[in-house]
């Protein structure tokens, strides 16, 4: 049986059921039951119209569920709405399902989990392992999310920006667990790009491809982090880079700049440099200026301080950094980097140690601790 086909059809089938009056939680259960039935029946008797078959079976599964706890009158109304056998309309409702899963009433973590479950087709166990939480905890999170969106109808304008932010959250979760969330985010974003022609969707896909292209070079054999400047660029995925750059160029040509396109442009400049020393930092600063204008984000200005330090010298970078709140995440790490390049090893070592204490994950903490130890060893010589 073609599992990829089943996964690709799931969002559209789920959307058909919701459109026909099923609440989200019941529709999702019915679609899962239909997928189980497909796994049993299709190997011996594959349907001519897989989507139509799934819609018909899932709707009947939903009716079976509804009959157990609804009044006779409501049951008869639902039976009248049963789709007729035969080919299903070739309409892709995936975007509406994305919008439902990224509903603003959901917390970011719940929106991500629901997107992976309903659109990505992952099991609750897979999502729980990817997020390193107990399966029961993830099941509760997904159930609460389903209840929250059950009453939401599809007659409201879609919030594509929220969908993109949820997908970016999925991507940034990285590569833990038995499901590669970064690769899954790329797959989901490709799916969204096939549904909606929007320059920011293209920008996000380009950004993901350009970042993902560096994956193999990001860690050493012992699992330690390798900074961008020290990565073996021969291990970067040139095919993904070329695809990302082509997608980005097409998006930028539409002259509707957004934050994901600007981020992708920065990533493309890093990918385009044959060596770290040949990076066009002046142009990167210019793109950070655009990104700051679009987002007014202090995190963007923090990253801009690093780029200014590379383009105009560490003291210029420290001057840009001085304008920012010291409580920003990774502020101490950026300050340490700039002070090291300015020759103040004592201050840099102290700040690296401070940054390690605040690091959000073990790999980053270990990297920053090694940086502090390295500078302390240099000072003792």
């Amino acid at each position: 049986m073609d599992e990829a086909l089943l996964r690709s059809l799931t969002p559209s089938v789920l959307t058909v059921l919701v459109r026909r009056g099923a609440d989200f939680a019941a529709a999702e259960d019915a679609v899962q039951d239909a997928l189980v039935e497909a796994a049993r029946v299709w190997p011996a008797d594959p349907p001519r119209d897989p989507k139509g078959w799934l819609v018909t079976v899932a709707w009947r599964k939903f009716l079976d569920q509804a009959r157990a706890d609804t009044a006779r009158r409501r049951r008869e109304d639902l039976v009248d709405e049963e789709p007729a056998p035969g080919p299903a309309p070739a309409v892709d409702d995936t975007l509406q399902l994305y919008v439902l899963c990224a509903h603003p009433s959901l917390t970011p973590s719940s929106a991500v989990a629901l997107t992976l479950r309903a659109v990505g087709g992952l099991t609750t166990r897979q999502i729980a392992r990817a997020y390193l939480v107990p399966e029961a905890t993830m099941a509760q999170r997904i159930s609460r999310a389903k209840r929250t969106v059950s009453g939401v109808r599809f007659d409201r304008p879609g919030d594509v920006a929220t969908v993109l932010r949820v997908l970016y959250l999925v991507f940034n979760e990285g590569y833990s667990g038995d499901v590669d969330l970064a690769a899954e985010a790329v797959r989901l974003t490709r799916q969204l790009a096939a549904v909606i022609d929007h320059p920011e969707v293209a920008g996000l896909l380009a950004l993901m491809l350009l970042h993902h292209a560096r994956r193999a070079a990001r860690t050493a054999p012992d699992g330690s982090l390798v900074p961008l400047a020290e990565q073996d660029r021969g291990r970067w995925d040139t095919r993904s880079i070329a695809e990302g750059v082509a997608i980005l160029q097409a998006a930028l040509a539409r002259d509707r700049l957004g934050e994901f396109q600007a981020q992708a442009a920065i990533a493309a400049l890093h990918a385009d440099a044959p060596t770290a020393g040949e990076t066009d930092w002046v142009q990167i600063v210019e793109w950070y200026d655009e990104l700051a204008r679009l987002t007014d984000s202090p995190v963007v200005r923090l990253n801009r301080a690093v780029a200014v330090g590379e383009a105009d010298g560490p003291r210029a970078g420290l001057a840009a950094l001085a304008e920012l709140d010291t409580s920003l995440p990774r502020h101490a790490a950026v300050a340490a980097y700039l002070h090291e390049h300015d020759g103040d090893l004592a201050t840099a070592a102290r700040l690296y140690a401070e940054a390690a204490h605040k690091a959000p994950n073990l790999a980053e903490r270990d990297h920053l601790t090694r940086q502090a130890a390295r500078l302390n060893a240099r000072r003792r010589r």
Side-chain angles (χ1 to χ4, degrees):
M1 186 183 61
D2 191 340
E3 294 184 3
L5 174 62
L6 284 177
R7 177 182 283 191
S8 68
L9 291 174
T10 298
S12 187
V13 175
L14 180 55
T15 306
V16 170
L17 265 65
V18 174
R19 277 183 172 276
R20 291 182 177 275
D23 69 78
F24 189 90
E28 209 267 349
D29 290 340
V31 172
Q32 293 304 315
D33 289 343
L35 294 176
V36 171
E37 186 72 6
R40 185 182 68 82
V41 172
W42 286 12
D45 185 20
R48 293 183 179 179
D49 177 20
K51 178 182 174 182
W53 189 98
L54 285 172
V55 168
T56 300
V57 173
W59 185 254
R60 288 173 177 165
K61 295 288 185 182
F62 167 71
L63 292 181
D64 289 342
Q65 296 167 8
R67 290 189 182 99
D69 53 18
T70 60
R72 179 179 179 81
R73 181 175 58 82
R74 179 58 181 152
R75 295 200 305 267
E76 291 174 350
D77 290 341
L78 290 172
V79 170
D80 290 339
E81 298 172 9
E82 180 176 345
V91 178
D92 194 338
D93 297 314
T94 307
L95 175 59
Q96 291 172 318
L97 189 56
Y98 273 108
V99 172
L100 184 63
C101 292
H103 193 265
S105 63
L106 295 175
T107 64
S109 60
S110 294
V112 166
L114 191 59
T115 300
L116 290 172
R117 183 75 177 89
V119 187
L122 304 186
T123 66
T124 302
R125 176 174 296 182
Q126 288 175 317
I127 301 170
R129 287 181 179 175
Y131 278 89
L132 305 177
V133 300
E135 184 176 353
T137 300
M138 184 56 68
Q140 291 174 354
R141 184 180 300 172
I142 294 173
S143 294
R144 285 195 299 269
K146 289 179 185 177
R147 288 195 298 269
T148 299
V149 301
S150 286
V152 176
R153 306 305 299 173
F154 282 141
D155 55 358
R156 303 188 318 163
D159 185 2
V160 176
T162 302
V163 175
L164 295 181
R165 205 152 301 283
V166 168
L167 289 171
Y168 197 40
L169 283 171
V170 175
F171 183 80
N172 283 335
E173 284 299 320
Y175 318 105
S176 60
D178 66 345
V179 175
D180 184 342
L181 289 183
E184 182 65 11
V186 173
R187 188 186 74 82
L188 291 173
T189 307
R190 283 190 189 279
Q191 190 180 91
L192 184 62
V195 176
I196 180 171
D197 182 20
H198 192 294
E200 274 294 83
V201 177
L204 179 58
L205 179 56
L207 176 63
M208 288 181 177
L209 289 169
L210 289 164
H211 279 317
H212 206 49
R214 303 200 299 260
R215 175 179 180 172
R218 280 181 175 155
T219 54
D222 63 0
S224 60
L225 293 179
V226 180
L228 176 61
E230 300 172 19
Q231 289 177 13
D232 178 0
R233 299 184 178 220
R235 300 184 66 195
W236 289 0
D237 184 348
T238 55
R239 181 177 297 178
S240 291
I241 290 172
E243 182 185 4
V245 169
I247 292 171
L248 173 63
Q249 288 174 338
L252 291 175
R254 301 174 66 173
D255 198 23
R256 291 168 56 194
L257 184 64
E259 61 176 294
F260 290 117
Q261 295 170 73
Q263 288 188 59
I266 293 168
L269 286 167
H270 283 297
D272 188 54
T275 66
E278 296 173 85
T279 304
D280 188 347
W281 287 106
V282 172
Q283 194 171 351
I284 287 176
V285 171
E286 292 173 356
W287 275 111
Y288 270 121
D289 288 338
E290 288 286 348
L291 190 55
R293 180 183 59 81
L294 290 165
T295 66
D296 195 29
S297 165
V299 174
V300 168
R301 296 186 186 281
L302 185 70
N303 292 330
R304 178 185 178 278
V306 176
V308 169
E310 298 288 355
D312 301 327
R315 295 196 178 181
L318 287 167
L321 187 65
E323 300 174 3
L324 303 175
D325 189 338
T326 57
S327 66
L328 277 172
R330 298 186 172 88
H331 185 284
V334 170
Y337 178 83
L338 292 171
H339 276 292
E340 178 185 354
H341 283 257
D342 194 39
D344 187 350
L345 302 188
T347 300
R350 175 179 58 79
L351 288 169
Y352 275 130
E354 178 185 330
H357 181 70
K358 299 176 180 177
N361 57 66
L362 182 61
E364 191 170 333
R365 186 192 72 188
D366 289 346
H367 170 71
L368 293 167
T369 300
R370 283 193 294 270
Q371 296 293 86
R374 174 179 59 81
L375 293 188
N376 285 325
R378 283 180 59 186
R379 292 171 57 217
R380 289 193 291 267
R381 289 175 188 166

